[in-house]
Amino acid sequence: MGTSILIVDDDKDIRNLISVYLENEGISTRKAEDAAEALKLLEQKEFDLIILDIMMPNMDGIEACMKIRQERNLPIIMLSAKSEDMDKIQGLASGADDYLTKPFNPLELIARVKSQLRRYKKYNTDAVSTANVIEIGDLTVNTDTRQVWVRGEEVRLTPKEFDILELLSRNKGIVMSVEKIYEAVWKEDFFKSDNTVMVHITKIRDKIEEDSKHPIYIKTVWGTGYKI
């Protein structure tokens, strides 16, 4: 089966323009002029990606995105005539994967579509594997294939580094003591003078954090341990 994309925009010219560029890439398209029509089409057919305008009558794109996200996890790229940061934040917070401001270069849209399709297919090889994919911000941990991606780029971890990251990811928000981490990963008793966990955490941060001195994923809880 080929790739199929749903284009949702109340501007007919924009719908047609996007459709022409996608069809030229061998991607089939369906078009909807508003969110209600889009939701009906989603009930009838499976799509690989949605291009969704924010500013639409009746139900806007943000509300539509939130409704879609309740049942589906396919990529959503939002379009908007507004360029303010708050609109971008609101769009992404509602569950969108990417955001493009009108007027846009159609070639840039195509590039972003391809990027999202690659990313989605890499992480969702089948329905079973999605249950074993942990996503935390731009960090993705696939516990089946033991692969890790940060901002769409694969990161190579050693087996022990992966075990620690998986443990923390599965217990997101929970502080794990150094002792608990060591005994869960190394399967042996912990000695207080052992700094093995700290060394491994440092190495993981070097690989997954943009700034390992100011980590956004693995936080140190002083005197207690670490948490995602």
Side-chain angles (χ1 to χ4, degrees):
M1 282 181 65
T3 301
S4 181
I5 291 179
L6 176 60
I7 304 162
V8 190
D9 197 303
D10 59 336
D11 186 321
K12 184 179 178 181
D13 291 338
I14 289 178
R15 290 198 305 271
N16 290 339
L17 174 72
I18 295 171
S19 178
V20 166
Y21 274 87
L22 289 172
E23 299 274 354
N24 283 343
E25 295 289 328
I27 298 170
S28 67
T29 64
R30 292 290 296 273
K31 292 172 276 189
E33 65 179 9
D34 59 27
E37 185 182 357
L39 293 171
K40 279 184 186 174
L41 283 169
L42 282 166
E43 293 297 324
Q44 299 164 11
K45 178 174 166 48
E46 291 293 324
F47 292 94
D48 298 287
L49 182 145
I50 301 174
I51 296 170
L52 182 63
D53 185 35
I54 288 183
M55 305 296 286
M56 292 188 294
N58 302 319
M59 186 191 301
D60 68 19
I62 289 171
E63 187 182 347
C65 182
M66 292 172 79
K67 281 185 176 291
I68 293 165
R69 275 285 171 261
Q70 288 171 6
E71 296 181 4
R72 295 171 175 80
N73 72 337
L74 76 169
I76 299 173
I77 298 177
M78 282 196 151
L79 304 177
S80 176
K82 292 187 176 181
S83 60
E84 289 88 349
D85 286 344
M86 192 49 65
D87 288 296
K88 181 174 183 179
I89 291 164
Q90 194 177 6
L92 295 174
S94 68
D97 298 277
D98 203 353
Y99 183 103
L100 205 56
T101 304
K102 296 176 183 177
F104 55 85
N105 181 333
L107 296 178
E108 183 182 356
L109 177 61
I110 298 303
R112 294 198 187 197
V113 164
K114 288 180 175 179
S115 173
Q116 288 298 329
L117 289 172
R118 278 196 305 271
R119 186 170 182 266
Y120 180 71
K121 284 171 182 175
K122 184 189 285 184
Y123 298 157
N124 298 278
T125 50
D126 57 53
V128 176
S129 71
T130 58
N132 297 310
V133 173
I134 304 167
E135 292 201 349
I136 301 165
D138 288 329
L139 172 68
T140 303
V141 180
N142 188 319
T143 60
D144 272 350
T145 61
R146 294 177 65 83
Q147 289 172 287
V148 175
W149 293 270
V150 181
R151 293 173 291 280
E153 297 291 324
E154 187 171 359
V155 175
R156 300 284 182 181
L157 299 184
T158 66
K160 286 289 189 277
E161 288 168 1
F162 182 88
D163 289 343
I164 291 171
L165 184 61
E166 179 184 357
L167 178 68
L168 292 172
S169 299
R170 287 190 183 279
N171 293 279
K172 181 185 170 188
I174 298 170
V175 180
M176 305 287 288
S177 69
V178 172
E179 181 179 353
K180 265 189 184 174
I181 294 170
Y182 185 89
E183 292 182 350
V185 171
W186 275 268
K187 307 283 193 293
E188 56 187 51
D189 291 339
F190 173 74
F191 296 98
K192 283 190 177 178
S193 59
D194 196 321
N195 66 352
T196 303
V197 171
M198 185 182 72
V199 170
H200 279 73
I201 292 282
T202 300
K203 288 179 179 176
I204 297 167
R205 281 175 170 161
D206 286 341
K207 294 177 181 181
I208 71 169
E209 303 282 3
E210 281 192 281
D211 180 356
S212 59
K213 290 180 180 173
H214 299 92
I216 60 170
Y217 294 113
I218 300 179
K219 299 284 191 181
T220 300
V221 181
W222 295 108
T224 310
Y226 300 95
K227 72 172 180 176
I228 287 275

